[in-house]
Amino acid sequence: MTVLDPAHTMTPQTYMQQLSRWRALEIAFWLATLLPFWLFPTYLSLASQIAITALFALSLDLILGYAGIVSLGHAAFFGLGAYSAGIFTKFVWGEPFSGLLVAALVAGVVGYASSFIISRFRHLTLIMITLGLGLLLHEAANSASWLTGGSDGLQGVSIQPVFGVFKFDLYGYTAYGYALGILFLCFLFTRHLINSPFGLALRGIRENFTRMPAIGADSRAHIRKVYTISAIIAGIAGGILAQTTETVALEVLSFERSADVLVMLVLGGAGRLYGGLIGAAVFLIARDQFSGINPQYWYFWIGVLLVVVVMLLPNGILGGLSKLTARWRRT
């Protein structure tokens, strides 16, 4: 969404400041996320699901959109976060923020350990490794039914009120406010990260992995860092899901969840901070509407939507809007 003026020579500091500057459209976007509290109070449960999934998509965008790491098993970290928060809440303590901390810690440790493998491979090999990691954790969770509940899911998760005041209600007011607040904080961190020299290095790795060491950027070290950060954010998203639904299903570790978040990123536009957020909203609203019209074959219409977007907007919805805006400015 950031458009820089190439006609003016600028210092690196000015360039970074221009990247970090908040636009009016961004402020309007975040203010608009508050509208469901008043305009769509009956859809707050869906809105909280959108906020959680948007956070998950944001984590995938960090590694796929900015560093060029293709993953088909990113649900592994989402599921790890969900199970960690759920088990901690059920057996130790129901305070929500400490549960999220545990989810982030567990996902981050596994992400850091696996990043040493991820940073050594590219392309098809990398896809197979990430897919294998996801399938491995899925089967491990299914086998450890004494702890995770197996195919029946983890039950009996009872979460305490947020700040000791706001109880999780059936209408979803607290769930949406909680998920939206965490999403915004993680977005601020991600935005700062992307608009920093580290973020620029990630873009360089995406464009040419082998040449980055020639300018002093250790590609593998950068990949290990961003992969760990991405795993932490995905774990937090999974932890919020476990806390707001007070249950954890085996589906959180499934291949379908990894594929769905990839589709969301393609719909919204990979490599754009708001791409995952827009993609998650479009995907989940479309799924809600299509499943209401045709409960058995709603995936068919999601497929049609994906084909249409990819054919007409190769860089996603935000890529298409950016192209239209640039054309409008030239006329």
Side-chain angles (χ1 to χ4, degrees):
M1 294 179 72
T2 303
V3 179
L4 302 179
D5 185 359
H8 295 82
T9 303
M10 61 179 72
T11 64
Q13 291 78 11
T14 307
Y15 177 76
M16 298 306 298
Q17 287 173 359
Q18 192 166 346
L19 278 178
S20 304
R21 187 161 52 88
W22 281 82
R23 270 68 178 173
L25 198 57
E26 289 184 274
I27 297 171
F29 172 87
W30 285 106
L31 289 176
T33 60
L34 301 174
L35 292 178
F37 283 114
W38 295 280
L39 297 183
F40 310 105
T42 57
Y43 285 93
L44 286 178
S45 295
L46 175 62
S48 65
Q49 293 297 311
I50 291 174
I52 293 166
T53 311
L55 183 58
F56 184 32
L58 185 66
S59 73
L60 181 64
D61 199 20
L62 262 180
I63 58 171
L64 174 61
Y66 287 96
I69 304 170
V70 184
S71 173
L72 274 182
H74 207 53
F77 303 111
F78 184 85
L80 272 175
Y83 274 111
S84 301
I87 292 170
F88 180 80
T89 302
K90 181 177 180 179
F91 296 106
V92 184
W93 195 22
E95 200 282 322
F97 292 107
S98 52
L100 278 192
L101 188 62
V102 171
L105 186 63
V106 172
V109 168
V110 176
Y112 178 71
S114 56
S115 70
F116 286 88
I117 301 173
I118 298 299
S119 62
R120 296 181 62 85
F121 298 97
R122 305 285 288 175
H123 309 305
L124 186 59
T125 308
L126 186 56
I127 293 174
M128 293 299 104
I129 290 173
T130 54
L131 178 60
L133 177 64
L135 295 175
L136 188 151
L137 286 176
H138 183 275
E139 286 308 307
N142 192 23
S143 301
S145 56
W146 57 272
L147 180 65
T148 64
S151 57
D152 294 329
L154 182 68
Q155 308 293 330
V157 178
S158 181
I159 197 76
Q160 294 177 5
V162 180
F163 298 120
V165 177
F166 303 102
K167 293 182 179 178
F168 287 92
D169 55 277
L170 290 175
Y171 301 101
Y173 280 94
T174 302
Y176 181 54
Y178 181 62
L180 185 62
I182 301 295
L183 169 64
F184 183 64
L185 291 177
C186 290
F187 178 85
L188 288 180
F189 170 76
T190 305
R191 190 180 188 278
H192 176 74
L193 190 76
I194 291 305
N195 295 326
S196 69
F198 179 73
L200 295 180
L202 292 181
R203 293 181 178 91
I205 292 169
R206 179 189 62 194
E207 298 301 322
N208 198 316
F209 175 84
T210 55
R211 287 190 179 180
M212 286 303 289
I215 59 172
D218 187 337
S219 297
R220 288 181 179 174
H222 281 63
I223 286 177
R224 287 197 296 272
K225 290 175 188 172
V226 74
Y227 194 76
T228 304
I229 294 170
S230 172
I232 290 172
I233 296 176
I236 292 173
I240 300 173
L241 180 69
Q243 293 175 335
T244 54
T245 59
E246 297 192 336
T247 184
V248 183
L250 197 56
E251 179 271 339
V252 294
L253 286 164
S254 66
F255 168 74
E256 286 77 11
R257 188 170 282 270
S258 294
D260 284 351
V261 75
L262 192 59
V263 169
M264 294 171 200
L265 210 50
V266 171
L267 283 174
R272 298 171 184 274
L273 271 174
Y274 288 89
L277 280 61
I278 298 294
V282 170
F283 183 92
L284 291 182
I285 292 173
R287 188 181 71 176
D288 182 70
Q289 296 299 313
F290 291 150
S291 61
I293 298 170
N294 194 334
Q296 284 184 305
Y297 303 107
W298 62 269
Y299 245 123
F300 170 82
W301 298 108
I302 291 290
V304 171
L305 176 65
L306 182 62
V307 170
V308 170
V309 169
V310 170
M311 288 181 66
L312 300 180
L313 306 168
N315 296 316
I317 295 171
L318 288 187
L321 290 175
S322 179
K323 194 174 180 180
L324 284 175
T325 305
R327 185 178 298 174
W328 176 73
R329 285 178 176 170
R330 286 197 298 269
T331 57

